[in-house]
């Protein structure tokens, strides 16, 4: 099975499929939970963009670092974060991956190299640059990846990071997820020129790719990861994708006028990264259908187990609310 | 008078002021779509020249406000959540707060920075900070914190007309709060506190979002014969010390409620000033009801545990009244 001439091993293709479906089903569950009023805080869903996180993170081990965004569930899961503990976190429970202190916008698991989601747009870019510096100093081939949006690309820190990372040949990969919107502003209304080409004057290699094609993402990341691991410096990947859900769940309660055409959303749904990939796998090997169905079923069970785990987890102890402010008591 | 939500009162103030003064420009992230509703309809009314959606670039827009003001415009700059003031902090702390002073008063900087401040909505640590102490400590910016829809209108209009940089901080979760709001021209001067409820036993100074729980506590205590005077400073820079001192001199006791981390909160500052200048009037130590020096957590039980509430205020009032000088 070659999937678009990629020569990827069958297990790898199926694992990419599994992770994308896992992200999708977990988030569909979160969408239902949010509609049912079960989630205490805001959630930004990654539905439609799964191929980017998965295509990149398949190249990373738990020892590599990623930084993520407010739309961070996909990165967390793609990097191997525990779905049940993420779910419990978003439910605000004691067994959440951050004990209920962080919520959706702050899911993180440092033991797996997940520096975490971020409530500050562009905040992860500098953190990943710092992690890349630490990795470079360690000299053991670890790398850092910053996921950020097209909106975040307009924060000055992107330029600052490109400059330093290029100058110091840091093992950094900047992955811009261009999903067409910066909140409710269509990208073209707030972003000039090309994001990918912002890397050019810094001498940083860049590529613009179809972010809804997991193989294309995997291939672009492969090149960038090799370069970073070999000490040849940073790269920038701009993945063109689309968020098919709202910027934030329940946005219809406060955004009274439509900011995009339903036809546009439908057109992108027709290019859904999971459907496309599954179709391609089936076309190349009709026999794969049973395996995909088995993966679907297993993922459904994982989601149910995650919900059970989260629901049965207690609320955090209010007496612990001051949390872990300092490593050494003041 | 008409019953309106706080966010509508702000919307009305923005509309009226932009109508009145064509030199005003307003910009910020998604001000056209208007997340909170305060800038709703302005783009349609005043057009894309005067009402602009910016990219996400707080470091730029906070500084552009300074430049545009220096170059003759009256500016309204929307920073969205208070925590994003931090990403725009350089131009606020190093330019807006200092440019007039450094240049020996050559320019005026008529800027109103809008932001939603404080917690209570499970938005977690990076969307819930009460940012007024940080701003108050800069020295060169005024800080307005409305406690009711009517005040929001009157204070915002004054903030916009003010010739200095002013932060107008709308309390998170209070935007939907209804109240009577006067029509048209309604101005509340900056630096004038309001006595929300008179009382003889204790002065309860409540800042911004804390006015509502303070009034509820006062109401409940009144049922037990405890008469608390609720003072709402309305602006923390400038701070109306005269009204606060006069109240403390009448009651002899002070509790300050501030939704800020305790260290260097406005409550702490006020406590220091009263202890220093009105010590002779005090019958009991001053109490502060503030947020512990930690981040604002996500889970509702955790957040409720650290934000000041009616019970914590009542407790502080009772303890202050029960205090006796050790023999
Ligand atoms: C510093 C900062 N400014 C503004 C915001 C508010 N905000 C949250 S998400 C968002 C849009 C981000 O757009 P993009 O980077 O393209 O990510 P997307 O939501 O499209 O995934 C904005 C403006 C924020 N969280 N942080
Ligand atoms: Mg985007």
């Amino acid at each position: 099975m070659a999937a678009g001439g990629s020569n990827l091993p069958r297990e790898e293709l199926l694992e990419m499929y599994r992770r994308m479906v896992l992200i999708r089903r977990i988030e569909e569950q979160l969408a239902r939970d949010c509609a049912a009023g079960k989630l205490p805080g805001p959630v930004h869903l990654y539905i439609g963009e799964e191929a980017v996180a998965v295509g990149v993170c398949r190249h990373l081990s738990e020892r590599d670092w990623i930084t993520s965004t407010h739309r961070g569930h996909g990165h967390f899961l793609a990097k191997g974060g525990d779905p049940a503990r993420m779910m419990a976190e978003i439910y605000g429970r004691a067994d959440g991956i951050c004990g209920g202190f962080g919520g959706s916008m702050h899911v993180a698991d440092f033991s797996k190299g997940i520096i975490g989601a971020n409530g500050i747009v562009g905040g992860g870019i500098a953190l990943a640059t710092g992690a890349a510096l630490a990795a470079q100093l360690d000299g053991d081939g670890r790398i850092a990846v910053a996921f950020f949006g097209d909106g975040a690309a307009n924060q000055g820190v992107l330029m600052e990071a490109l400059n330093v990372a290029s100058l110091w040949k840091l093992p950094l990969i900047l992955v811009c997820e261009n999903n067409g919107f910066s909140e409710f502003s269509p990208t073209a209304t707030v972003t000039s020129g090309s994001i990918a080409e912002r890397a050019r004057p810094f001498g940083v290699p860049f590529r613009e790719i179809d972010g809804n094609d997991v193989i294309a993402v995997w291939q672009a990341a492969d090149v960038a990861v090799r370069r970073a691991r070999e000490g040849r410096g940073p790269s920038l990947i701009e993945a063109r994708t689309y968020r098919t859900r709202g910027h934030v769940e329940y946005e219809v309660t406060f955004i009274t006028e439509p900011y995009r055409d339903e036809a546009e959303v439908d057109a992108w749904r027709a290019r859904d990264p999971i459907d496309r990939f599954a179709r391609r796998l089936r076309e190349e090997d009709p026999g794969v259908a049973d395996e995909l169905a088995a993966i679907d079923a297993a993922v459904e069970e994982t989601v149910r187990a995650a919900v059970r785990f989260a629901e049965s987890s207690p609320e955090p102890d209010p007496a612990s609310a001051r949390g872990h402010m300092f490593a050494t008591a003041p | 008078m008409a019953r309106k939500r706080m966010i509508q009162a702000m919307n009305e103030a923005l509309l009226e002021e932009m109508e009145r003064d064509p030199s005003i420009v307003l910009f910020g992230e998604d001000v056209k779509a208007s997340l909170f509703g305060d800038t709703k309809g302005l783009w349609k009314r005043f057009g894309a020249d005067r009402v602009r959606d910016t990219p996400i670039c707080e470091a730029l827009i906070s500084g552009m406000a300074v430049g545009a003001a220096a170059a003759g415009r009256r500016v309204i700059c929307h920073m969205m959540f208070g925590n994003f003031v931090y990403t725009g902090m350089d131009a606020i702390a190093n330019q807006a707060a200092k440019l007039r002073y450094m240049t020996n008063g050559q320019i005026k900087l008529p800027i109103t920075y809008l932001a939603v401040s404080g917690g209570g909505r499970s938005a977690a640590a990076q969307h819930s900070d009460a940012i007024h102490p940080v701003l108050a400590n800069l020295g060169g910016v005024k800080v307005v914190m409305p406690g009711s829809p009517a005040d929001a209108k009157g204070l915002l209009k004054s903030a916009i007309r003010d010739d200095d940089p002013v932060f107008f901080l709308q309390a998170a979760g209070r935007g939907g709060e209804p109240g009577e709001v006067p029509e048209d021209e309604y101005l509340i001067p900056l630096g004038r506190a309001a006595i929300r409820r008179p009382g003889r036993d204790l002065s309860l100074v409540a800042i911004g979002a804390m006015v509502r729980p303070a009034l509820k506590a006062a109401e409940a205590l009144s049922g037990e014969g405890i008469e608390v005077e609720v003072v709402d400073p309305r602006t923390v820079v400038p701070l109306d010390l005269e009204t606060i001192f006069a109240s403390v001199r009448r009651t002899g006791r002070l509790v300050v409620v501030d939704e800020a981390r305790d260290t260097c909160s406005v409550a702490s500052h006020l406590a220091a000033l009263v202890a220093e200048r009105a010590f002779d009037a005090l019958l009991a130590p001053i109490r502060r009801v503030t947020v512990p020096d930690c981040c604002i957590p996500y889970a509702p039980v955790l957040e409720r545990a650290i934000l000041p509430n009616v019970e914590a205020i009542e407790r502080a009032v009772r303890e202050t009244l029960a205090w006796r000088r050790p023999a």
Side-chain angles (χ1 to χ4, degrees), chain A residues 150-151 177 179 181-182:
Chain A
D150 50 291
E177 304 177 312
N179 63 2
F181 296 93
S182 184

Side-chain angles (χ1 to χ4, degrees), chain A residues 146-185:
Chain A
F147 291 98
F148 59 98
D150 50 291
N154 292 326
Q155 293 279 32
V157 68
L158 176 60
M159 195 190 86
E160 300 173 43
L162 280 165
N163 182 46
V164 166
S166 177
L167 203 60
W168 296 354
K169 286 199 165 20
L170 295 181
L172 174 70
I173 304 176
L174 295 157
V175 180
C176 178
E177 304 177 312
N178 187 341
N179 63 2
F181 296 93
S182 184
E183 264 183 10
F184 309 103
S185 297

Side-chain angles (χ1 to χ4, degrees), chain B residues 201-275:
Chain B
D201 298 325
L202 180 146
S203 301
L204 181 59
V205 175
I207 296 161
M210 298 297 100
V211 173
R212 192 163 66 165
L215 284 170
K216 281 191 184 151
E219 181 72 40
L221 290 161
S222 171
E224 303 168 21
I226 298 170
E227 292 305 331
V228 163
E229 179 149 290
V230 180
V231 184
D232 171 4
R234 301 202 280 207
T235 65
V236 296
V237 178
L239 191 55
D240 181 358
L241 292 176
E242 211 175 297
T243 301
I244 295 167
F245 283 175
S247 174
V248 173
R249 289 200 172 281
R250 278 195 298 278
T251 64
R253 294 179 179 89
L254 174 63
V255 172
V256 193
V257 199
D258 186 2
E259 187 197 346
R261 276 181 279 276
D262 190 63
T263 298
C264 301
S265 61
V266 171
S268 301
H269 176 59
L270 196 55
L273 289 173
V274 171

Side-chain angles (χ1 to χ4, degrees), chain B residues 311-325:
Chain B
E311 297 74 52
I313 297 169
E314 282 184 32
R315 200 177 324 122
V317 169
R318 278 185 226 285
E319 286 172 12
T320 304
L321 285 165
W323 186 86
R324 295 288 172 271
R325 186 176 295 280

Side-chain angles (χ1 to χ4, degrees), chain B residues 38-117:
Chain B
D38 46 1
T39 57
K40 195 144 270 180
L42 298 178
W43 181 84
K44 262 197 194 125
R45 178 79 152 257
F46 300 108
D49 273 355
R50 294 182 64 199
V51 179
R52 293 196 178 209
D53 271 349
T54 68
I56 308 171
C57 49
E58 293 84 12
L60 179 74
I61 63 175
S62 61
M64 269 175 60
V66 178
R73 286 288 164 162
R74 196 163 284 275
V75 181
I76 301 169
C77 178
H78 208 310
M79 303 300 293
M80 203 185 294
F81 281 91
N83 288 67
F84 314 154
V85 166
Y86 300 152
T87 38
M89 196 64 172
D90 172 53
I92 290 159
N94 280 321
Q95 313 297 343
K98 295 183 172 60
L99 197 56
R100 179 177 160 82
Y101 178 90
M102 293 187 299
T103 57
N104 202 23
Q106 289 182 52
I107 44 153
K108 292 174 184 166
L109 296 174
I111 306 165
T112 305
Y113 290 105
L114 300 173
V116 160
S117 184

